[in-house]
Amino acid sequence: MTPSELLDSHTAAGARYAAALTELQAAFIDLAGHDMALDNKNVPVGPTPVRSFFGIPDSIPWPLRHAHFAPDNGLNWQDASRARGNELIAAVTAEAA
């Protein structure tokens, strides 16, 4: 591998990482929102408690940030998860009414 090829493969790996991190963020927020909706007492899903994450970070966790490919903290995961949960709760309670 030449130095130029190494730089090219680094760029490709970084682009892949950035895409994966974007998907991880979207999936985390969606799942956390579903967990919140299912745990809401106004959503009639039964008595089974919903297990969720051990905590919701306020942004992309520091160990997942990369100086070049993911340098900023992204959106607020707590706010986005809560918004997604409220959206799901509203959809279910509107349908049940």
Side-chain angles (χ1 to χ4, degrees), residues 2-21:
T2 66
S4 176
E5 290 170 334
L6 179 59
L7 285 172
D8 290 345
S9 67
H10 178 256
T11 299
R16 202 171 133 219
Y17 180 76
L21 187 56

Side-chain angles (χ1 to χ4, degrees), residues 19-85:
L21 187 56
T22 297
E23 175 55 23
L24 171 65
Q25 178 176 274
F28 185 103
I29 289 166
D30 193 34
L31 181 55
H34 276 82
D35 290 348
M36 287 179 193
L38 289 169
D39 196 40
N40 184 285
K41 304 302 180 221
N42 295 318
V43 176
V45 293
T48 306
V50 176
R51 297 192 184 263
S52 188
F53 295 102
F54 291 104
I56 298 177
D58 61 354
S59 61
I60 296 171
W62 279 103
L64 297 180
R65 295 181 195 177
H66 185 276
H68 182 72
F69 296 104
D72 63 17
N73 58 355
L75 59 102
N76 187 304
W77 290 20
Q78 293 172 357
D79 291 346
S81 297
R82 191 171 13 268
R84 179 65 175 137

